[in-house]
Amino acid sequence: MKPLATIANSLWVGSCFKGWRQYRHALQHPAPVQQDWLKQHLRRHAHSDFGRQHRLGTAVHDYEEFVRRVPLQDYESLEPWLKRIQQGQPNVLTAEPVTHLIPTSGSTQARKLIPFTAGLQRDFDRAIAPWIFDLTRQQPGILGGPAYWSVSPALPAANETSAVPVGFSDDASYLGGVKGWLVRSALVTSNEVLQAGDLDTFQHATLLALLQERELRLISIWHPSFLMLLLKALPTHWDELLATIARHSPIRARELERTNPLQPETLWPRLCVISCWGHAQAESGYAELQQHFPQTHLQRKGLLATEAFITIPFAERHPLALRSHFFEFLDASSRLRRAHELHDGETYEVVVTTSGGLWRYRLGDLVRVTGFVKATPSLQFLGRNSAVSDLCGEKLSEAFVAAAVQRISVSLGSPKFAMLAPETRDVEPPRYTLFFNGAGAPSRWQVQLEAGLRRNPHYDYCRRLGQLAELSVCPVGDDAGEVVLQREASLGKRLGDIKLSCLSKRTDWSEVFTKSARSTKAHRPIQPPSILSTAPLR
């Protein structure tokens, strides 16, 4: 596997050089680069049904006219157009065919379908190429062996029919063509992983594929908890995994027998890079990964959504993906700003127009400007603007709760797990509960987080009126992240779409965690003491 992976990696990275050079030049000129992208987009798709309805022909010469013709959109406003695409109608949102509909989770519904076209594929490559080439310049060792990119089995929705294929078989399909083939040649994967239909099968198949690769060089995942959950499952599957590996590769099995599954860095001695989210709700998980892989370079991934590439890890910052889409930003006063009009330290909501057919689409992501790379803003993801819990007017947003938890973490330590959720069952008046696992006394978290939440005037008003009871804190076990993952998967979400968040709007988490604790206690096997059964993984 190693020679093929090395050759494939080298060819792919070599093909990324041109994109890296063009992106580096574009960073100095955000305004004309974005204006050129918009002009080309209008010329290509003005005669789609959406373009004709909004009169986007030759009369639209500049950004201001584009804004007057096309209002801001959300998924609900685009959904009738997307249903036409799903029925097989051509030329709906774009003049080029929609090749796939990519499922992702939504804020107001469990499943959204995002259109994917050949043009969007090229635009994704314009972001991936500079990212990968820049990473290889920093960490050339990743060329020497295979990589693991998180793969999420696409679970079909019940009674869903579509004339357009729904989902990709693997993440390399985002590249397509020769580049997609090169990436697949260097990936750690298996048919069992792609076909897994439940969490346990998925974990077992993924761990088997990873453990067989001594030369693993790169792990690219989304949320760091994804990898931590895999590592936590190792003790459960360890003996079975070693027995399976021994049948195919006795040498590798003997080598693994000399490692410690509770020290994962010993499993892959040449692992160079782990790329994952590291901001907002992923901050504590990122720190935990650093503890488990102290000798491995951890890279904070840019902001990438199913809909669009927002930022790129580049030059140790996260500048905007200028060459991939057209961006607008809503400031705190709901005024629109373009990329070259952003100010350092300010917070904005992302609005994006893509070659896939999203027009002035409110992505719902909040970002803060943390400096500039040349003339282009570098952005840090803060949370989802649409993730708002509002039982009686308190309007708690994910970004606000994440900031409150982060402030407390400075003095009490980052929690292993922290999720705030409303409780309405058997409680009068309703209240919020922090489901918590980590350092610091729960009572101190209760006092400080309650004070932090009351900085929100809407929450404070509801508390003073007695509409909400005082915050409570509920300690949960080390498996809290896995409990959330299993719960969301049982509701039909794709594994890769499940995002561990510091705020949930569900009101049944007390019951879910209680049932999980009872089930674990009832089914816990009696084992002799050993390093695997007595030492916690984290």
Side-chain angles (χ1 to χ4, degrees):
M1 175 72 179
K2 181 184 174 183
L4 177 59
T6 301
I7 294 170
N9 281 332
S10 299
L11 290 173
W12 179 38
V13 172
S15 72
C16 293
F17 171 71
K18 181 179 179 181
W20 171 80
R21 184 179 60 190
Q22 291 172 331
Y23 180 71
R24 188 177 60 169
H25 175 75
L27 291 171
Q28 191 64 53
H29 310 283
V33 168
Q34 282 280 277
Q35 186 66 21
D36 287 347
W37 193 99
L38 180 61
K39 286 182 178 179
Q40 293 178 25
H41 184 72
L42 289 171
R43 186 169 60 249
R44 290 192 188 106
H45 305 296
H47 298 292
S48 65
D49 289 351
F50 185 92
R52 282 193 291 267
Q53 179 170 314
H54 292 84
R55 298 178 292 116
L56 298 180
T58 55
V60 179
H61 298 291
D62 53 30
Y63 167 71
E64 289 72 18
E65 185 63 27
F66 173 61
V67 169
R68 283 193 289 270
R69 299 286 178 93
V70 181
L72 292 175
Q73 308 284 325
D74 56 22
Y75 189 79
E76 284 67 32
S77 63
L78 287 176
E79 192 170 19
W81 302 86
L82 293 168
K83 287 188 179 299
R84 290 175 53 192
I85 294 172
Q86 194 172 1
Q87 293 164 3
Q89 296 183 33
N91 205 47
V92 178
L93 289 169
T94 59
E96 66 178 341
V98 172
T99 61
H100 293 77
L101 291 167
I102 311 302
T104 185
S105 56
S107 303
T108 59
Q109 50 193 300
R111 184 178 172 95
K112 299 188 297 186
L113 294 175
I114 305 302
F116 194 87
T117 64
L120 185 59
Q121 190 172 69
R122 290 190 295 270
D123 289 342
F124 268 61
D125 184 51
R126 287 180 176 179
I128 294 172
W131 163 35
I132 292 299
F133 191 88
D134 192 66
L135 177 60
T136 305
R137 292 178 70 227
Q138 300 175 46
Q139 299 288 332
I142 64 177
L143 293 173
Y148 172 74
W149 289 5
S150 62
V151 175
S152 303
L155 303 178
N159 302 320
E160 182 175 65
T161 58
S162 177
V164 178
V166 175
F168 286 134
S169 60
D170 60 55
D171 290 355
S173 298
Y174 278 99
L175 291 170
V178 174
K179 288 189 177 183
W181 179 85
L182 289 173
V183 170
R184 286 189 192 90
S185 300
L187 283 183
V188 173
T189 189
S190 69
N191 289 331
E192 288 77 11
V193 173
L194 297 175
Q195 296 170 4
D198 61 81
L199 182 60
D200 192 63
T201 302
F202 176 75
Q203 286 182 335
H204 184 276
T206 302
L207 286 169
L208 181 62
L210 287 170
L211 288 176
Q212 292 182 99
E213 293 294 347
R214 184 186 189 278
E215 297 296 325
L216 184 67
R217 303 302 179 94
L218 168 67
I219 294 177
S220 178
I221 54 177
W222 304 120
H223 200 287
S225 60
F226 177 89
L227 182 56
M228 290 309 305
L229 290 174
L230 283 174
L231 297 176
K232 186 180 178 183
L234 261 180
T236 302
H237 298 286
W238 185 249
D239 292 339
E240 182 182 354
L241 289 166
L242 288 187
T244 302
I245 294 171
R247 291 196 291 270
H248 303 284
S249 179
I251 295 176
R252 177 60 176 158
R254 287 194 294 270
E255 184 177 58
L256 287 170
E257 288 172 353
R258 297 191 293 270
T259 66
N260 183 354
L262 301 179
Q263 296 177 346
E265 210 166 43
T266 65
L267 305 175
W268 304 288
R270 299 192 180 185
L271 180 63
C272 300
V273 177
I274 299 175
S275 177
C276 62
W277 288 338
H279 294 125
Q281 72 272 17
E283 190 81 45
S284 60
Y286 184 88
E288 188 174 11
L289 269 188
Q290 285 182 315
Q291 295 176 5
H292 285 274
F293 293 90
Q295 304 303 318
T296 302
H297 174 73
L298 263 65
Q299 180 194 61
R300 282 184 167 90
K301 204 180 281 293
L303 176 52
L304 169 61
T306 303
E307 296 89 342
F309 234 115
I310 313 304
T311 64
I312 302 171
F314 192 90
E316 299 184 355
R317 303 299 287 270
H318 294 88
L320 193 65
L322 287 171
R323 300 183 65 241
S324 297
H325 320 290
F326 182 74
F327 294 99
E328 301 167 83
F329 299 87
L330 285 166
D331 66 14
S333 300
S334 297
R335 291 173 298 187
L336 282 164
R337 296 284 185 263
R338 283 177 282 175
H340 63 284
E341 298 172 327
L342 304 190
H343 297 287
D344 194 13
E346 293 297 314
T347 297
Y348 302 92
E349 179 189 344
V350 181
V351 178
V352 64
T353 297
T354 77
S355 297
L358 301 182
W359 295 84
R360 306 197 69 214
Y361 183 80
R362 296 185 66 166
L363 199 59
D365 289 337
L366 295 178
V367 296
R368 179 184 294 125
V369 180
T370 58
F372 294 82
V373 180
K374 297 186 179 180
T376 298
S378 176
L379 306 176
Q380 178 180 332
F381 174 62
L382 299 180
R384 294 282 296 167
N385 189 39
S386 57
V388 175
S389 182
D390 193 17
L391 291 181
C392 45
E394 68 276 16
K395 295 180 174 60
L396 290 178
S397 71
E398 178 181 331
F400 174 80
V401 174
V405 170
Q406 191 170 16
R407 283 195 298 270
I408 299 171
S409 298
V410 173
S411 58
L412 299 185
S414 296
K416 295 180 180 179
F417 180 87
M419 182 179 72
L420 186 73
E423 285 197 277
T424 59
R425 300 181 181 183
D426 303 320
V427 207
E428 186 60 33
R431 67 186 180 196
Y432 280 82
T433 295
L434 178 69
F435 298 94
F436 170 81
N437 181 309
S443 58
R444 294 186 66 188
W445 275 90
Q446 190 275 334
V447 171
Q448 293 193 33
L449 184 56
E450 173 71 1
L453 295 181
R454 295 194 75 154
R455 293 172 64 179
N456 177 331
H458 302 291
Y459 179 89
D460 182 64
Y461 187 64
C462 291
R463 286 282 291 111
R464 287 190 285 113
L465 289 179
Q467 291 176 298
L468 290 173
E470 188 177 23
L471 171 83
S472 68
V473 175
C474 177
V476 292
D478 287 340
D479 64 341
E482 189 171 0
V483 171
V484 173
L485 195 64
Q486 290 174 332
R487 168 63 173 168
E488 298 290 347
S490 71
L491 297 175
K493 287 191 177 182
R494 291 197 328 150
L495 295 173
D497 286 339
I498 300 170
K499 302 174 180 68
L500 296 183
S501 169
C502 60
L503 176 67
S504 172
K505 293 188 283 187
R506 296 190 183 281
T507 61
D508 60 350
W509 285 113
S510 287
E511 181 180 353
V512 170
F513 282 114
T514 300
K515 286 183 178 179
S516 174
R518 289 173 180 166
S519 175
T520 301
K521 184 175 181 179
H523 294 91
R524 183 180 296 136
I526 300 176
Q527 297 177 335
S530 71
I531 186 171
L532 295 183
S533 62
T534 61
L537 183 61
R538 57 179 185 173

